[in-house]
Amino acid sequence: MQADIIVDLQYGDCGKGKVTHHLCKSGEYTHVVRYNGGCNAGHTIYHNGKEFITHHIPAGVFFGIKSIIGPGCVVNPKQFFKEMQMLKDGGIDTEGLIYIAKNAHIITGDHLAEDGKDSKIGTTKRGNGPAYRDKYSRDGLRAETVDELSDYLIDIYDELHNSENVNVLFEGAQGFGLDIDWGDYPYVTSSHCTSAAALLNGVPPQAIRKVWGVAKMYETYVGAKKFQPDGEIFNMLRKVGKEYGATTGRPRQCNWMDWDLVEKAIKVNGVTDLVFNKVDILEQVNKWNAYKGGNEIKFENGELMQKWITDNVASDGVRVYFSRDKDRI
Ligand code: IMP
Ligand code: MG
């Protein structure tokens, strides 16, 4: 078995969907597995000139690759079927391609109602926190107990370990700054968002080849804590970067890139390949700023900032790629 992992190095919304979509085109993967989170995630994917926003379903489906919602995920069946319909309506063939691990957990109506009342964390109100809590207090419902999901259930051990030439792309949700252990607790999500979480979905560590770390040239965060500094420039960043939640439509708070966070995320995740998305947004606001060691650094242009980033990771042998928002790859 071989596997690559995609992780987000900031607060989600860095463009993992774009990277997954790009990597799937190579045709080398036999499976794409989502390894954490639920429909709190929103992946925006451009496929054959159309925009799709998926919450549960991995991007592999766009390329006819078997796509599995792994046991580290929580699933809202209603949302799952809604998404299946959305894909079918958009002309995507889902037949025999989409599966849910039998041991993934279910987001129930009660979870949704409870999370709907949240005012402390600024959750997406999609029931994630209560569903994970019930999973860990051993009060949860597994997907295998839900009749209407029976056509989609899969035993992920059988699937990954008893098939030939398995090559998995693991697709993460949320990001390092939202990780239950590494994020700014309690302003975090309820699942593990690091590359380690992929291993919890049935793949041995020896199988991992590449870990793709995805970041943005600036930072965004959605939630209850104050994140965005004062200054009109950050509102401009939001406007130019179209920084509104794919799941909730909430305006994302914006700030310059915090290199200390990105560096920590690179090390903890074991990133081998690094993608920085949205380089053209900083060009449009005509500012290239970042924080390192608590200081604000100002670059004269995008090329200097890119060189600085590349130099920062050179000693770790990490390959770096820069991508423009307007390039639909
Ligand atoms: P929850 O995951 O809905 O419980 O929300 C916890 C925190 O994570 C909130 O600040 C959410 O806005 C944030 N969050 C959850 N999922 C995503 C995501 O996919 N992208 C960005 N932020 C997210
Ligand atoms: Mg998102």
Side-chain angles (χ1 to χ4, degrees), residues 44 49 126 195 202 220 254:
T44 308
R126 295 300 187 270
S195 56
T220 59
C254 300

Side-chain angles (χ1 to χ4, degrees), residues 31-35 58 68-70 156 160 168-172 201:
H31 298 77
V32 177
V33 177
R34 256 286 296 279
Y35 59 81
I68 304 174
I69 298 167
I156 199 162
L160 299 185
V168 192
L169 180 61
F170 280 104
E171 182 185 303
N201 286 244

Side-chain angles (χ1 to χ4, degrees), residues 258-261 263 290-297 308:
D258 175 5
W259 182 259
D260 299 327
L261 178 79
E263 182 172 66
Y291 304 104
K292 186 177 181 180
N295 300 314
E296 191 170 335
I297 306 175
W308 174 78

Side-chain angles (χ1 to χ4, degrees), residues 11-13 40-42 121-124 174 178 188-189 221-223 250:
Y11 297 89
D13 308 318
N40 48 354
I121 308 300
T123 71
T124 59
Q174 288 82 49
L178 293 171
V188 294
T189 190
Y221 158 84
V222 215
R250 291 180 292 176

Side-chain angles (χ1 to χ4, degrees), residues 210 212-213 215 272-277 279 306 310 318-323:
K210 288 186 175 181
W212 289 86
T272 59
D273 294 75
L274 187 50
V275 181
F276 280 90
N277 282 320
V279 297
Q306 290 183 25
T310 310
V318 177
R319 285 171 292 266
V320 190
Y321 306 85
F322 295 95
S323 154

Side-chain angles (χ1 to χ4, degrees), residues 8 11-14 16 34 37-43 55 115 118 121-130 132 172-175 177-179 186-191 193 220-225 245-248 250 252:
D8 181 299
Y11 297 89
D13 308 318
C14 288
K16 291 181 289 296
R34 256 286 296 279
C39 44
N40 48 354
H43 289 177
H55 301 281
D115 199 22
D118 160 78
I121 308 300
T123 71
T124 59
K125 302 191 192 295
R126 295 300 187 270
N128 277 62
Y132 278 111
Q174 288 82 49
L178 293 171
D179 179 87
Y187 298 102
V188 294
T189 190
S190 305
S191 65
C193 314
T220 59
Y221 158 84
V222 215
K225 73 173 173 186
T247 299
T248 59
R250 291 180 292 176
R252 296 173 181 149

